[in-house]
């Protein structure tokens, strides 16, 4: 794993079938309801306060409060977060963080564990959501157009370049959608083309255990551990357009390895 000595964590998986009937199903519903209510009771008041604070204070200056919000929200949801850093991980580098996409909790997991101020590329349609959209714009997230009109794409590239030039790293889900089976899907080329054109390094990030905690197809939560692997920095400044496929496949392999190993180990024990 690109110089990483730690063994990926094996997270026992509780399958849908085991919760499908009887007392286990009832317990899963009760437990999930409790954790949803607990996390929401903390998140919404504190987040509202930070949104109001963001009107007067640069979000960078209350970055610690935002991280605390994410950590406590995940703890209330029943998650124990672990972080494993590769020897070549450099928290000081402005970069693209490329991450596998699992569920709605992914941004919370990332912001609670990545030791650097960063923002994300997010679908432009999300910016039209009341309150949330304003908050994302105020916090500096970069809108990704819902269509491929050249003018919209140029605007995204311009905003991306401006963020990176100001020292703000950007988190990207290169799959473009959440996984349905826990495995890492195919990556889109866009972020790799930007990284090569800008000469911006890439840090692959593997989030292991998130699929066992919550799936796109279910609202149920299964409390447990999530481990975030922060891999070595990968340089892009000496690469050209012809290197996009190889770079994409290399990073896909790095991100997917601990995730797929964990899933395979879980299947063997069930």
């Amino acid at each position: 794993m690109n110089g990483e000595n730690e063994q990926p964590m094996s997270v026992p998986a509780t399958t849908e079938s085991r919760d499908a009937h009887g007392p286990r199903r009832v317990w899963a519903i009760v437990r999930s309801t409790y954790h949803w209510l607990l996390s929401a009771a903390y998140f919404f008041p504190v987040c509202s306060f930070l949104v109001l604070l963001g009107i007067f204070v640069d979000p960078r200056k209350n970055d610690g409060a935002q991280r605390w919000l994410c950590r406590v929200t995940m703890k209330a949801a029943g998650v124990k977060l672990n972080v494993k850093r590769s020897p070549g991980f450099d928290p000081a580098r402005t970069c693209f963080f490329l991450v596998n996409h699992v569920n709605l909790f992914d941004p919370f997991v990332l912001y609670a564990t990545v030791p650097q101020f960063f923002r994300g590329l997010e679908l432009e349609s999300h910016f039209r959501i009341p309150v949330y959209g304003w908050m994302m714009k105020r916090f500096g997230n970069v809108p990704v157009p819902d269509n491929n009109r050249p003018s919209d794409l140029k605007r995204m590239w311009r905003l991306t370049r401006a963020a990176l030039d100001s020292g703000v790293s950007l988190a990207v889900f290169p799959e473009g959608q959440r996984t349905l089976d826990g495995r890492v899907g195919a990556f889109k080329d866009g972020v790799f083309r930007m990284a090569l054109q800008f000469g911006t390094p890439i840090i692959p990030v593997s989030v292991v255990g998130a699929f066992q905690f919550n799936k796109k197809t279910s609202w149920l939560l299964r409390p447990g551990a999530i481990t975030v692997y922060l891999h070595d920095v990968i340089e892009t400044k000496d690469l050209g357009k012809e290197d996009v496929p190889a770079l994409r496949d290399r990073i896909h392999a790095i991100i997917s390895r601990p995730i797929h190993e964990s899933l395979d180990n879980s299947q063997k024990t069930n």
Side-chain angles (χ1 to χ4, degrees):
M1 184 195 300
N2 231 25
E4 196 162 79
N5 294 322
E6 301 95 328
Q7 292 296 317
M9 182 189 68
S10 174
V11 182
T14 305
T15 63
E16 292 284 353
S17 60
R18 293 174 60 184
D19 283 338
H21 304 288
R24 284 180 176 170
R25 175 68 177 179
V26 173
W27 168 239
I29 292 173
V30 171
R31 178 183 59 191
S32 298
T33 301
Y34 167 76
H35 283 291
W36 274 112
L37 292 175
L38 186 63
S39 57
Y42 173 79
F43 172 76
F44 285 108
V46 177
C47 183
S48 298
F49 171 75
L50 292 178
V51 168
L52 292 175
L53 188 63
I55 298 175
F56 308 100
V57 180
D58 186 330
R60 293 198 195 197
K61 295 183 179 179
N62 63 357
D63 186 52
Q66 297 166 42
R67 293 183 183 282
W68 185 256
L69 167 69
C70 293
R71 293 190 189 105
V72 176
T73 298
M74 292 310 301
K75 185 175 182 180
V79 172
K80 177 183 178 182
L81 292 172
N82 303 303
V83 183
K84 293 189 177 183
R85 303 186 189 185
S86 293
F89 170 73
D90 184 355
R93 297 292 299 277
T94 300
C95 64
F96 283 110
F97 289 103
L98 268 55
V99 194
N100 59 299
H101 199 7
V102 181
N103 56 48
L104 297 176
F105 290 90
D106 290 342
F108 294 91
V109 172
L110 288 178
Y111 214 71
T113 56
V114 175
Q116 181 187 136
F117 181 87
F118 69 93
R119 287 300 181 249
L121 268 69
E122 186 164 1
L123 283 176
E124 192 167 26
S125 58
H126 294 179
F127 287 73
R128 294 191 286 272
I129 300 174
V131 181
Y132 175 83
W134 179 89
M135 181 176 66
M136 292 301 98
K137 184 176 180 180
R138 171 61 180 165
F139 282 5
N141 281 11
V142 175
V144 177
D146 300 300
N147 54 64
N148 292 323
R149 289 183 303 189
S151 59
D152 291 335
L153 292 174
K154 287 180 180 179
R155 176 166 54 90
M156 180 189 70
W157 280 57
R158 176 173 51 80
L159 293 173
T160 299
R161 183 62 182 265
L164 295 169
D165 288 346
S166 67
V168 177
S169 293
L170 294 171
V172 182
F173 299 120
E175 296 163 278
Q177 60 186 358
R178 288 172 283 169
T179 179
L180 293 177
D181 60 4
R183 298 188 176 273
V184 183
F187 287 172
K188 300 180 183 298
D189 288 349
V191 65
F192 300 99
R193 295 184 184 280
M194 286 194 291
L196 267 60
Q197 179 167 324
F198 301 154
T200 304
I202 292 172
I203 297 181
V205 180
S206 304
V207 180
V208 178
F211 185 72
Q212 291 89 336
F213 164 64
N214 175 249
K215 303 175 183 180
K216 178 182 178 180
T217 56
S218 174
W219 67 275
L220 296 177
L221 305 179
R222 297 175 180 81
I226 292 178
T227 299
V228 177
Y229 288 80
L230 303 174
H231 299 281
D232 295 342
V233 177
I234 296 178
E235 302 291 348
T236 65
K237 60 183 179 181
D238 295 325
L239 301 178
K241 293 181 180 179
E242 67 278 4
D243 297 309
V244 166
L247 178 64
R248 179 196 62 216
D249 294 346
R250 176 187 176 192
I251 291 177
H252 186 280
I254 293 171
I255 293 174
S256 62
R257 180 181 173 185
I259 297 165
H260 293 176
E261 286 182 355
S262 176
L263 290 170
D264 291 341
N265 290 336
S266 296
Q267 290 173 359
K268 290 177 182 177
T269 58
N270 285 283

